[in-house]
Each structure stands twice: as structure tokens, then as C-alpha cells.
Amino acid sequence: MNDRLLSSRPHRVTRPLAALALGCASLLLPWSVAHAAPDDTLTLVVGYPAGGTTDQVARILAPHLSARLRMPVKVENRVGHGGHQAARDVAKADASQNVLLLSNPAVMVIAPVTQNNLGYSPDKDFTPVAHVVDYELALAINKDLPPNRMMFLVSWLWSHPEDSRFAVPALASLPHFFGLKLSVAARVKPTIVDGKGSAALAANLASGREKIAIDTLSALLPRHQKGDVIILATSGRQRAKQLPDVPTFYENGLKISALGWNAFYAPSSMPAAKVQMLGGHIRSVMSDPAVRKAILNTGMVPVAAGPDETAQMLRRFRSEWEPLVRHYSFAP
């Protein structure tokens, strides 16, 4: 594609003028021409198994982003250490690599507080590119568990302390710390266990291997719609559009809320001009009605924010959650 585009220019243009024309044209050409990588492919790295919230977002966006950039865009699942291995890998990418990390609060906010020798720094090793979705959390139960309302569940947990167990998609994730907030608000002392990813967690909840789970609304919604599990409460300040009959935790008298997110980050080695260009393209893709509809159908909320807005979002989220994570991580 590059050769065809470049060879279409008149051969009689003098060398200085041709160089100037090529430089100006690079601002308008697809990213694959202006910033060609060895394989002319943009890789979206996801640190979680296929089927989870982050993976869903990447796979919805990839074909639309590919069409806009006029180059291949692939999704690569690099699973390990709760998403941290993917972050470590992308942090090491050099300036020639076309790679973005689709990340979340666990990687960019929680892990830097809870872990030593993480292997990457969110501030030093990454540059915000685009904030693409927000998502609520939800608490769901196995359909055969007796309580069918949130406050009934709280009472049931008081009388069944041996069953006071919350499964979450990963330890040190946003659902994990939200579960700790819930335990304080409801005055229960659950054991929080690792569900080994959203897909496995939902399956185990449906089968009865787990009785209570906290995960993203998008991960639990399909099982709820099938009747395999029952969502009792969602974490927004208002009821989720997909579940208008399900009350929030606030409505149940539990004064807690949470909103997670997915955002693209580039390795800090990526040139600033490329970051801005990719951020602009992703923001345009997120404004596409077809993309927005696909995102909403999963239970998430589409966001179209570029690099500067994404950086501001991260600062706001940190100011809210870092003190809580620090308290729950190091409380006696």
C-alpha cells in the first residue's frame, strides 16, 4: 500500500519540493503510512483471558479501528499475574513497535499500591491514549441460593457465616476491593476468593460451585439474562439501563458505589505525535453509532476521550481509590 501511494506522485517534482510534499502528506495519510511498523500491524494487548470485559472491548473495537487506520489490528491475550505481565511486556516496547495496552484500574491504580517490584510504572512507562468504556460492578448469586434480594442476602450471610464467601474475577481487582467495601457497609466478614477470570467465575456461579460473586456487570449480564444466575444489585448511582428492575447498592441502604473503566495506554517510547494520532482515531471509532451500540449491548458504557482527558480521568480515579486500597491492603 505504501509503494502505491508514494509512486502515485508526479515524477517531475524537484527533490526539495517532493520531500516537503511527502512530509505534509504524512499528516493526512493513514497511520500505517506515516508511522509504518515492520509488520504494519497494530497490536492491542489484553492481559486477561478471552471473554472477559477487557477482551470484549478490544474485540469490538479492533475491526472498526482497522478500517479507519487501513491496516491490520489484532488482539493479543497475554495472560498472567492478574494483567500485570501484559503491562510489563508493553512497557518494554521500543518506539518502532505498534502496540497498545488496553488496561483497567487493577493494573494502573491498584497494583502500584499493593505490590512491590511490580516491573512497570504507570506514570513512567506508559502514556494515556484513549478512555473507551466505563462499567458498573454487580453482585450475583447462584439461582438456587434462597435470598432473592440484596438485604435478604445480607441477613442470610449474618446467619450463615460459614457461607460468607465472595468470588471475584481476580484478587487485587476492582471487584475485590469493592467486595471489601461491601463487607464493611453490610457488617459481614466474607472470605474473598480468586475466581480465575470472569468466564470461569460466571460458569462456576451458574453451576453452584460458587454461591456469591462480584464482577463487572458485563461479565455477569449474559448469565443473568439466561436465568443461570441472579444479579441482586449494581454499583452505579442510578440503575443500569440494561437492568431497570435491579436496584443499586445505594437503594438497598448500602452507601457504596463504583465505576470501573478500560483505557488504552501506549509505551512511553511511542512518539507523542503517534499517541495523539491514535487517540484521535480511537475517539472517532468510539463515536461511531455501531460501536456504541455494540458496547452498550455488553452492559458497558462507551466513552470517547483522547489522551489529555484520559490522563485527567486517571488522576480523578486515583484520588478516590488509592486511599481506600491502601487502607484495606494494610489495615490490621
Side-chain angles (χ1 to χ4, degrees), residues 96-241:
S96 70
Q97 292 179 274
N98 296 329
V99 60
L100 296 177
L101 176 70
L102 184 57
S103 195
N104 61 20
V107 173
M108 290 295 170
V109 178
I110 295 174
V113 175
T114 61
Q115 297 192 34
N116 296 320
N117 304 316
L118 191 57
Y120 66 88
S121 165
D123 295 323
K124 294 179 181 178
D125 295 328
F126 292 97
T127 303
V129 178
H131 175 194
V132 289
V133 301
D134 286 331
Y135 54 80
E136 295 181 29
L137 306 181
L139 181 143
I141 61 172
N142 175 268
K143 64 181 183 301
D144 296 324
L145 199 67
N148 60 4
R149 292 177 59 185
M150 188 66 215
M151 294 316 297
F152 292 165
L153 177 65
V154 172
S155 298
W156 185 84
L157 288 171
W158 288 344
S159 59
H160 295 77
E162 71 281 3
D163 291 315
S164 186
R165 169 184 168 112
F166 296 164
V168 297
L171 297 180
S173 62
L174 188 63
H176 180 169
F177 283 96
F178 185 76
L180 293 174
K181 289 182 69 174
L182 174 59
S183 69
V184 173
R187 304 193 306 279
V188 296
K189 295 182 178 180
T191 300
I192 296 183
V193 298
D194 186 351
K196 306 299 182 182
S198 290
L201 174 58
N204 286 334
L205 184 64
S207 70
R209 292 188 184 93
E210 297 292 350
K211 296 180 179 179
I212 306 169
I214 299 173
D215 202 347
T216 63
L217 173 60
S218 59
L220 294 169
L221 185 61
R223 292 281 185 173
H224 174 86
Q225 292 170 331
K226 291 178 181 177
D228 294 340
V229 308
I230 302 171
I231 294 177
L232 297 185
T234 56
S235 70
R237 291 298 184 98
Q238 297 179 338
R239 295 191 181 192
K241 293 180 179 179

Side-chain angles (χ1 to χ4, degrees), residues 4 31 119-120 147 167 188 198-199 233 254 320:
R4 288 201 304 272
W31 180 71
Y120 66 88
V188 296
S198 290
L254 302 165
E320 176 185 358

Side-chain angles (χ1 to χ4, degrees), residues 58-82:
R59 294 186 187 278
I60 289 172
L61 266 59
H64 296 272
L65 191 56
S66 176
R68 184 168 185 85
L69 296 173
R70 284 182 276 170
M71 66 183 295
V73 176
K74 68 176 183 179
V75 177
E76 185 173 317
N77 298 85
R78 298 185 191 177
V79 181
H81 301 93

